[in-house]
Amino acid sequence: MKDQRPKNLNLFTIRFPVPAIVSILHRISGVILLLLVPFLLWGLDLSLASEQDFERLSQFFMGPWVKFILWCCLSAFSYHFVAGIRHLFMDVHIGEELKSGRLSAFLTIGISVVLMILMGIWLW
């Protein structure tokens, strides 16, 4: 029997619930952090090589675009950290119900935004 139901494959027209958005953003921030690991290791190696390299690296991080990119990286880390704590609570069956799951998703977004603002203030 042929299925005659309409198929909506446009993800931009589907309205996702807030916990789903938090989960998707957690995965995206994890991928961003994975892609950042080589650059972080390069910066660590350069900063530990010599005093001149450390000074050059610290001068490099004084630029406004570099600070913005660093803020984006720290924002991804803070969001991933907060959402990871949410997932750990869900692993021990805290916040799995619909109402508490939505509340924890909103708290995750709220705490992450506050941390992102604080990191922006700290960097500039």
Side-chain angles (χ1 to χ4, degrees):
M1 177 183 238
K2 187 165 169 77
D3 189 14
Q4 297 295 328
R5 293 182 295 167
K7 293 180 178 70
N8 182 10
L9 300 178
N10 186 1
L11 293 179
F12 296 109
T13 61
I14 298 173
R15 185 165 180 248
F16 290 105
V18 177
I21 294 170
V22 168
S23 182
I24 291 167
L25 289 176
H26 183 245
R27 292 170 191 227
I28 292 171
S29 66
V31 170
I32 291 169
L33 291 175
L34 179 69
L35 295 175
L36 288 175
V37 168
F39 297 107
L40 294 173
L41 289 176
W42 169 78
L44 178 66
D45 180 52
L46 190 63
S47 70
L48 296 175
S50 68
E51 189 175 338
Q52 293 82 15
D53 287 339
F54 177 79
E55 288 297 325
R56 208 169 14 147
L57 189 65
S58 62
Q59 288 300 320
F60 175 72
F61 280 115
M62 293 299 157
W65 285 104
V66 178
K67 283 186 179 183
F68 177 73
I69 292 170
L70 185 61
W71 176 77
C72 291
C73 298
L74 290 173
S75 296
F77 174 75
S78 66
Y79 180 82
H80 194 76
F81 181 76
V82 173
I85 291 173
R86 176 181 180 261
H87 282 289
L88 287 175
F89 277 123
M90 290 174 65
D91 284 344
V92 293
H93 306 292
I94 298 173
E96 285 185 332
E97 298 81 25
L98 181 62
K99 190 174 182 179
S100 60
R102 290 190 71 215
L103 176 66
S104 68
F106 281 117
L107 281 174
T108 298
I109 293 172
I111 292 170
S112 297
V113 167
V114 168
L115 287 175
M116 289 174 198
I117 292 170
L118 289 175
M119 283 186 217
I121 292 170
W122 177 67
L123 279 175
W124 276 282

